[in-house]
């Protein structure tokens, strides 16, 4: 068969079957020479770094705005400087710039925000007047102090030698207001009258030590008849002396769990709260209907309360804080029970539903743009 192949064809067959090693190197050289690979690298690496920078700055703005909002709720004044701490913690190199912290809070600790540019890296326009909110603006800052994110490959492209990098921006908004949901409220409700007496109404004055009667008593006539009976009453217990509250439901009402002697779960809960000094969340009612186990309370908000003591809470031993005495909760014919403490402002754990209406101190915070 070999002899049948014409001699002139054999060299051509050898060329066709020749080794193609080195062809890839030639191809790479051609792509490098024309800038194709550099362009692909710039697109993949440099643009990817910009997206990564944007994600880090956005996370930092989110965390910073939530931190500032929480400081506005918990402290005597907002602490805008908190934003920088959280922005840096969310940067891979530990450094970012917070260019602006602004908004509105009733304590007057935040400066007003400029008008929104409407771009995707800016926060939206200001919310409705009177809304508590904070905007945190972040931007690129390198560990060397530059505001430009330097390129890796883009500068090597033809005509791009002067490119020094880009500044990336982000913005986040957090809002706060009355909490309207809580899965861990104490199974107790306070009357609007008792809350107004203790805080002065709207706007409230928090932190004033007070005594609140469970039952009507001659020394507490101003709130007589508002509860069933007394200035506060016990609610249906879902376990552990807690009640699940959802005020987003129209006309929300809670059932009553009457009785002077409290359950062991509620006794343990009250003892724990007094010892820890942590806020408890108690729903506020404005009207009640019925009596005994048939009573219901119309709930209008959630209050935050620091419990410091109690009296005549059978079977608990009295825990009466200064400056109160045993006489402040008289054990008379009606044998009233009392709680002691003061109203405060506190964040409801996990809740991100911000309501409207009267603010009783229990607060929810959420990201809003």
């Amino acid at each position: 068969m070999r002899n049948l192949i014409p001699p002139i064809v054999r060299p051509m067959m050898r060329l066709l079957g020749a080794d193609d090693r080195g062809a890839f190197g030639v191809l790479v050289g051609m792509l490098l020479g024309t800038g194709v690979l550099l362009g692909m690298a710039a697109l993949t690496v440099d643009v990817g770094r910009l997206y990564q920078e944007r994600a880090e700055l956005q996370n930092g703005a989110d965390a910073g705005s939530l931190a500032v909002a929480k400081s506005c709720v918990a402290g005597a004044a907002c602490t805008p400087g908190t934003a920088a701490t959280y922005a840096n913690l969310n940067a891979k190199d530990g450094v970012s710039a917070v260019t602006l912290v602004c908004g509105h809070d009733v304590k007057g600790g935040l400066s007003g925000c400029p008008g929104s540019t409407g771009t995707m890296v800016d926060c939206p326009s200001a919310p409705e007047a009177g809304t508590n909110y904070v905007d945190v603006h972040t931007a690129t800052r390198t560990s060397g102090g530059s505001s430009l994110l330097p390129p890796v490959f883009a500068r090597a492209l033809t005509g791009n030698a002067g490119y020094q990098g880009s500044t990336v921006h982000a913005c986040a908004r957090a809002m706060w207001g009355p909490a309207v949901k809580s899965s861990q409220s104490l199974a107790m409700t306070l009357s609007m009258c008792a809350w107004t007496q203790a805080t002065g109404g709207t706007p409230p004055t928090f932190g004033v030590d007070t005594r609140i009667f469970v039952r009507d008593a001659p020394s507490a006539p101003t709130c007589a008849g508002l509860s069933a009976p007394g200035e506060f009453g016990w609610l249906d217990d879902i376990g552990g002396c807690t009640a699940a509250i959802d005020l987003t439901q129209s006309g929300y009402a809670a059932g009553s769990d009457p009785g002077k002697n409290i359950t062991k779960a509620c006794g343990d809960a009250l003892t724990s709260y007094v010892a820890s000094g942590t806020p408890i969340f108690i729903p506020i009612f404005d009207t009640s209907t019925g009596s005994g186990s048939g009573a219901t309370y119309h709930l209008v908000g959630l209050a935050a309360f620091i419990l410091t003591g109690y009296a005549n809470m059978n079977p608990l031993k009295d825990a009466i804080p200064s400056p109160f005495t045993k006489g402040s909760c008289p054990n008379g014919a009606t044998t009233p029970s009392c709680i002691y403490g003061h109203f405060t402002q506190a964040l409801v754990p996990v809740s991100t539903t911000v309501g409207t209406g009267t603010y009783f101190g229990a607060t929810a915070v959420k990201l809003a743009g």
Side-chain angles (χ1 to χ4, degrees):
M1 177 66 69
R2 179 179 177 86
N3 293 330
L4 295 177
I5 300 175
I8 193 173
V9 176
R10 290 173 185 162
M12 296 177 62
M13 293 181 66
R14 284 196 295 268
L15 287 174
L16 290 173
D19 191 351
D20 61 358
R21 286 177 295 180
F24 182 74
V26 174
L27 178 61
V28 170
M30 292 175 61
L31 292 175
L32 283 173
T34 57
V36 174
L37 284 184
L38 285 176
M40 293 174 62
L43 181 64
T44 303
V45 177
D46 289 337
V47 174
R49 291 186 73 215
L50 291 174
Y51 273 99
Q52 177 65 28
E53 176 76 357
R54 175 76 166 79
E56 292 178 9
L57 290 173
Q58 188 61 60
N59 289 339
D62 290 346
S65 63
L66 288 172
V68 175
K70 291 177 181 179
S71 76
C72 294
V73 175
C78 300
T79 55
T82 307
T85 300
Y86 284 86
N88 290 339
L89 287 173
N90 280 274
K92 188 175 181 180
D93 60 358
V95 181
S96 62
V98 174
T99 57
L100 179 64
V101 178
C102 60
H104 171 268
D105 73 294
V106 294
K107 300 173 184 176
L110 297 173
S111 60
C113 292
S116 174
T117 61
T119 62
M120 65 176 295
V121 296
D122 197 1
C123 284
S125 299
E128 183 179 351
T131 301
N132 290 315
Y133 77 99
V134 59
D135 287 355
V136 172
H137 297 252
T138 55
T140 298
R141 176 175 292 163
T142 67
S143 56
S146 173
S147 62
L148 297 175
L149 183 68
V152 177
F153 290 104
R155 197 180 301 160
L157 296 177
T158 303
N160 215 33
Y163 176 65
Q164 298 300 312
S166 298
T167 302
V168 184
H169 299 270
C171 184
R173 172 175 296 166
M175 300 172 61
W176 66 96
V180 291
K181 285 186 178 182
S182 173
S183 60
Q184 293 295 316
S185 293
L186 191 65
M188 172 193 293
T189 181
L190 297 173
S191 71
M192 177 78 83
C193 176
W195 182 81
T196 300
Q197 285 185 341
T199 64
T202 304
T205 299
F206 296 110
V208 179
D209 289 329
T210 188
R211 168 214 57 200
I212 300 174
F213 286 98
V214 179
R215 295 186 175 187
D216 293 331
S219 57
T222 54
C223 289
L226 276 182
S227 63
E231 293 175 327
F232 78 76
W234 296 102
L235 300 178
D236 292 333
D237 187 350
I238 63 172
C241 200
T242 61
I245 305 300
D246 183 359
L247 301 179
T248 61
Q249 302 177 32
S250 178
Y252 186 80
S256 173
D257 184 13
K260 176 172 175 54
N261 294 335
I262 62 175
T263 64
K264 183 180 185 304
C266 285
D268 291 343
L270 294 180
T271 302
S272 173
Y273 282 125
V274 169
S276 66
T278 56
I280 57 178
F281 300 101
I282 304 177
I284 302 295
F285 73 93
D286 58 355
T287 59
S288 63
T289 59
S291 61
S293 60
T296 58
Y297 299 95
H298 179 254
L299 305 182
V300 294
L302 280 170
F305 189 76
I306 301 293
L307 184 70
T308 59
Y310 41 77
N312 300 332
M313 290 279 195
N314 295 334
L316 292 178
K317 182 180 179 180
D318 288 353
I320 303 175
S322 176
F324 301 101
T325 65
K326 180 63 179 176
S328 62
C329 188
N331 194 341
T334 57
T335 317
S337 300
C338 304
I339 59 172
Y340 302 91
H342 57 267
F343 290 95
T344 186
Q345 300 179 90
L347 290 171
V348 176
V350 186
S351 179
T352 57
T353 303
V354 177
T356 58
T358 304
Y359 176 57
F360 296 101
T363 311
V365 174
K366 69 173 183 178
L367 286 173

